[in-house]
Amino acid sequence: MRFRRLFVSYSILILIIASLAVIFSDIEIKKRVIDKQQFILAAKEAGFEVTDDTDLFEGVRGLATALNASNRDSSLTYQFYVFDDRNTADDEFDIFRKTLDSTFVTKDYSSYIGQNYLVYKMEGAKDYHHLCVVDNTLFYAKSPNEEKLQVRDFAKEVGYN
């Protein structure tokens, strides 16, 4: 009788551990950083025109690169920034997030934190915004709400989801 109870208890424990392992296997603890060339390649493969807008941000402290990718009518844009260090990128993420929160009426939002990244997704009344910082890089996307799945797919492809 004792052996049977012990066996059942261990079996249940193993099932619980296996279930938790499956659940947590999809959660990323650390994200891979991409460089400007990888962003350009991914954006061009998705059919976007890419421009280097670094000169437009001369006054931004610690900014090394600013890229903009947009579709033909500019309704969907992806921006990629590379900063000198992670602290500067984190500061810019906070500024960006606060600006989004104070500018747009929010229908829904979510935030995620990992070892080397922060993600903020917001659906406004008309627009969807996706913001992600990974180490010293920052990714921002804006689209009409109807195209938010396209943004999420691109963000996932480049690892900034």
Side-chain angles (χ1 to χ4, degrees):
M1 190 68 156
R2 268 184 138 172
F3 179 73
R4 182 178 278 166
R5 260 194 239 158
L6 190 60
F7 179 75
V8 170
S9 296
Y10 279 128
S11 297
I12 291 172
L13 182 62
I14 289 171
L15 285 173
I16 291 171
I17 291 171
S19 298
L20 289 174
V22 169
I23 291 170
F24 288 112
S25 67
D26 288 339
I27 297 175
E28 288 182 278
I29 294 172
K30 190 169 183 174
K31 290 191 178 287
R32 176 184 60 85
V33 177
I34 64 170
D35 62 19
K36 90 181 217 181
Q37 289 308 108
Q38 291 168 310
F39 175 80
I40 291 169
L41 182 63
K44 286 186 176 181
E45 284 178 1
F48 290 84
E49 292 185 32
V50 180
T51 57
D52 187 334
D53 291 346
T54 307
D55 293 343
L56 298 175
F57 296 94
E58 276 182 47
V60 177
R61 172 185 59 92
L63 180 68
T65 304
L67 300 173
N68 185 54
S70 61
N71 61 357
R72 289 190 180 154
D73 67 357
S74 296
S75 63
L76 179 57
T77 59
Y78 303 136
Q79 298 171 353
F80 184 72
Y81 303 93
V82 179
F83 294 93
D84 292 340
D85 57 59
R86 182 177 179 170
N87 289 334
T88 305
D90 285 346
D91 290 346
E92 291 300 321
F93 176 91
D94 289 338
I95 291 168
F96 231 123
R97 185 185 51 77
K98 287 175 185 175
T99 301
L100 290 172
D101 286 342
S102 66
T103 306
F104 295 97
V105 176
T106 307
K107 288 171 56 177
D108 187 26
Y109 75 93
S110 58
S111 283
Y112 308 98
I113 298 173
Q115 186 176 357
N116 69 331
Y117 69 91
L118 301 165
V119 179
Y120 180 75
K121 302 174 185 179
M122 183 188 86
E123 186 175 334
K126 295 180 181 180
D127 297 320
Y128 174 73
H129 304 269
H130 184 105
L131 185 62
C132 179
V133 64
V134 179
D135 288 335
N136 67 322
T137 62
L138 178 71
F139 171 78
Y140 170 70
K142 178 184 175 191
S143 74
N145 283 334
E146 308 82 60
E147 296 180 12
K148 74 179 175 184
L149 292 179
Q150 187 175 348
V151 170
R152 288 180 177 176
D153 289 344
F154 183 82
K156 187 174 185 176
E157 180 184 330
V158 296
Y160 285 67
N161 55 327

PDB file of all heavy atoms in Angstrom, residues 98-110:
ATOM      1  N   LYS A  98       6.914  55.901 -22.624  1.00  0.00           N
ATOM      2  CA  LYS A  98       6.147  56.960 -21.956  1.00  0.00           C
ATOM      3  C   LYS A  98       5.477  57.872 -22.977  1.00  0.00           C
ATOM      4  O   LYS A  98       4.351  58.320 -22.767  1.00  0.00           O
ATOM      5  CB  LYS A  98       7.062  57.766 -21.026  1.00  0.00           C
ATOM      6  CG  LYS A  98       7.445  57.001 -19.788  1.00  0.00           C
ATOM      7  CD  LYS A  98       8.446  57.756 -18.939  1.00  0.00           C
ATOM      8  CE  LYS A  98       8.895  56.904 -17.765  1.00  0.00           C
ATOM      9  NZ  LYS A  98       9.951  57.530 -16.985  1.00  0.00           N
ATOM     10  N   THR A  99       6.165  58.139 -24.081  1.00  0.00           N
ATOM     11  CA  THR A  99       5.577  58.962 -25.139  1.00  0.00           C
ATOM     12  C   THR A  99       4.367  58.252 -25.748  1.00  0.00           C
ATOM     13  O   THR A  99       3.323  58.881 -25.973  1.00  0.00           O
ATOM     14  CB  THR A  99       6.618  59.257 -26.245  1.00  0.00           C
ATOM     15  OG1 THR A  99       7.736  59.933 -25.651  1.00  0.00           O
ATOM     16  CG2 THR A  99       6.033  60.111 -27.348  1.00  0.00           C
ATOM     17  N   LEU A 100       4.493  56.961 -26.009  1.00  0.00           N
ATOM     18  CA  LEU A 100       3.359  56.203 -26.537  1.00  0.00           C
ATOM     19  C   LEU A 100       2.190  56.220 -25.567  1.00  0.00           C
ATOM     20  O   LEU A 100       1.041  56.439 -25.962  1.00  0.00           O
ATOM     21  CB  LEU A 100       3.772  54.759 -26.835  1.00  0.00           C
ATOM     22  CG  LEU A 100       4.720  54.545 -27.999  1.00  0.00           C
ATOM     23  CD1 LEU A 100       5.183  53.086 -28.048  1.00  0.00           C
ATOM     24  CD2 LEU A 100       4.067  54.923 -29.317  1.00  0.00           C
ATOM     25  N   ASP A 101       2.471  55.988 -24.288  1.00  0.00           N
ATOM     26  CA  ASP A 101       1.410  55.963 -23.275  1.00  0.00           C
ATOM     27  C   ASP A 101       0.689  57.295 -23.161  1.00  0.00           C
ATOM     28  O   ASP A 101      -0.519  57.332 -22.953  1.00  0.00           O
ATOM     29  CB  ASP A 101       1.978  55.588 -21.904  1.00  0.00           C
ATOM     30  CG  ASP A 101       2.316  54.119 -21.793  1.00  0.00           C
ATOM     31  OD1 ASP A 101       1.818  53.316 -22.616  1.00  0.00           O
ATOM     32  OD2 ASP A 101       3.091  53.760 -20.876  1.00  0.00           O
ATOM     33  N   SER A 102       1.425  58.392 -23.301  1.00  0.00           N
ATOM     34  CA  SER A 102       0.797  59.703 -23.142  1.00  0.00           C
ATOM     35  C   SER A 102       0.181  60.236 -24.433  1.00  0.00           C
ATOM     36  O   SER A 102      -0.626  61.159 -24.391  1.00  0.00           O
ATOM     37  CB  SER A 102       1.813  60.715 -22.602  1.00  0.00           C
ATOM     38  OG  SER A 102       2.835  60.936 -23.545  1.00  0.00           O
ATOM     39  N   THR A 103       0.529  59.652 -25.568  1.00  0.00           N
ATOM     40  CA  THR A 103       0.050  60.154 -26.855  1.00  0.00           C
ATOM     41  C   THR A 103      -1.171  59.408 -27.368  1.00  0.00           C
ATOM     42  O   THR A 103      -2.054  60.008 -27.968  1.00  0.00           O
ATOM     43  CB  THR A 103       1.177  60.058 -27.920  1.00  0.00           C
ATOM     44  OG1 THR A 103       2.329  60.734 -27.428  1.00  0.00           O
ATOM     45  CG2 THR A 103       0.750  60.674 -29.227  1.00  0.00           C
ATOM     46  N   PHE A 104      -1.237  58.105 -27.148  1.00  0.00           N
ATOM     47  CA  PHE A 104      -2.284  57.287 -27.752  1.00  0.00           C
ATOM     48  C   PHE A 104      -3.241  56.743 -26.701  1.00  0.00           C
ATOM     49  O   PHE A 104      -2.841  56.404 -25.589  1.00  0.00           O
ATOM     50  CB  PHE A 104      -1.663  56.099 -28.520  1.00  0.00           C
ATOM     51  CG  PHE A 104      -0.849  56.540 -29.702  1.00  0.00           C
ATOM     52  CD1 PHE A 104       0.521  56.671 -29.595  1.00  0.00           C
ATOM     53  CD2 PHE A 104      -1.443  56.837 -30.907  1.00  0.00           C
ATOM     54  CE1 PHE A 104       1.289  57.082 -30.663  1.00  0.00           C
ATOM     55  CE2 PHE A 104      -0.695  57.239 -31.991  1.00  0.00           C
ATOM     56  CZ  PHE A 104       0.677  57.365 -31.872  1.00  0.00           C
ATOM     57  N   VAL A 105      -4.503  56.644 -27.097  1.00  0.00           N
ATOM     58  CA  VAL A 105      -5.498  55.995 -26.257  1.00  0.00           C
ATOM     59  C   VAL A 105      -5.257  54.494 -26.387  1.00  0.00           C
ATOM     60  O   VAL A 105      -5.242  53.950 -27.484  1.00  0.00           O
ATOM     61  CB  VAL A 105      -6.926  56.347 -26.727  1.00  0.00           C
ATOM     62  CG1 VAL A 105      -7.956  55.587 -25.922  1.00  0.00           C
ATOM     63  CG2 VAL A 105      -7.145  57.845 -26.640  1.00  0.00           C
ATOM     64  N   THR A 106      -5.058  53.840 -25.279  1.00  0.00           N
ATOM     65  CA  THR A 106      -4.688  52.429 -25.284  1.00  0.00           C
ATOM     66  C   THR A 106      -5.910  51.542 -25.141  1.00  0.00           C
ATOM     67  O   THR A 106      -6.680  51.693 -24.199  1.00  0.00           O
ATOM     68  CB  THR A 106      -3.722  52.129 -24.119  1.00  0.00           C
ATOM     69  OG1 THR A 106      -2.632  53.027 -24.187  1.00  0.00           O
ATOM     70  CG2 THR A 106      -3.229  50.711 -24.170  1.00  0.00           C
ATOM     71  N   LYS A 107      -6.057  50.615 -26.088  1.00  0.00           N
ATOM     72  CA  LYS A 107      -7.087  49.582 -25.971  1.00  0.00           C
ATOM     73  C   LYS A 107      -6.522  48.372 -25.241  1.00  0.00           C
ATOM     74  O   LYS A 107      -7.206  47.732 -24.469  1.00  0.00           O
ATOM     75  CB  LYS A 107      -7.568  49.155 -27.362  1.00  0.00           C
ATOM     76  CG  LYS A 107      -8.411  50.189 -28.067  1.00  0.00           C
ATOM     77  CD  LYS A 107      -8.691  49.860 -29.509  1.00  0.00           C
ATOM     78  CE  LYS A 107      -9.341  48.541 -29.753  1.00  0.00           C
ATOM     79  NZ  LYS A 107      -9.661  48.289 -31.165  1.00  0.00           N
ATOM     80  N   ASP A 108      -5.260  48.067 -25.513  1.00  0.00           N
ATOM     81  CA  ASP A 108      -4.638  46.883 -24.937  1.00  0.00           C
ATOM     82  C   ASP A 108      -3.126  47.054 -24.994  1.00  0.00           C
ATOM     83  O   ASP A 108      -2.608  47.627 -25.948  1.00  0.00           O
ATOM     84  CB  ASP A 108      -5.061  45.646 -25.735  1.00  0.00           C
ATOM     85  CG  ASP A 108      -4.600  44.354 -25.092  1.00  0.00           C
ATOM     86  OD1 ASP A 108      -4.412  44.331 -23.864  1.00  0.00           O
ATOM     87  OD2 ASP A 108      -4.427  43.374 -25.827  1.00  0.00           O
ATOM     88  N   TYR A 109      -2.428  46.563 -23.983  1.00  0.00           N
ATOM     89  CA  TYR A 109      -0.969  46.607 -24.019  1.00  0.00           C
ATOM     90  C   TYR A 109      -0.413  45.425 -23.237  1.00  0.00           C
ATOM     91  O   TYR A 109      -1.099  44.810 -22.435  1.00  0.00           O
ATOM     92  CB  TYR A 109      -0.425  47.924 -23.453  1.00  0.00           C
ATOM     93  CG  TYR A 109      -0.502  48.019 -21.952  1.00  0.00           C
ATOM     94  CD1 TYR A 109       0.582  47.630 -21.167  1.00  0.00           C
ATOM     95  CD2 TYR A 109      -1.641  48.481 -21.322  1.00  0.00           C
ATOM     96  CE1 TYR A 109       0.506  47.697 -19.786  1.00  0.00           C
ATOM     97  CE2 TYR A 109      -1.723  48.548 -19.948  1.00  0.00           C
ATOM     98  CZ  TYR A 109      -0.642  48.156 -19.187  1.00  0.00           C
ATOM     99  OH  TYR A 109      -0.705  48.208 -17.825  1.00  0.00           O
ATOM    100  N   SER A 110       0.858  45.124 -23.511  1.00  0.00           N
ATOM    101  CA  SER A 110       1.539  44.074 -22.763  1.00  0.00           C
ATOM    102  C   SER A 110       3.016  44.415 -22.677  1.00  0.00           C
ATOM    103  O   SER A 110       3.547  45.104 -23.543  1.00  0.00           O
ATOM    104  CB  SER A 110       1.338  42.703 -23.416  1.00  0.00           C
ATOM    105  OG  SER A 110       1.816  42.712 -24.738  1.00  0.00           O
TER     106      SER A 110
END
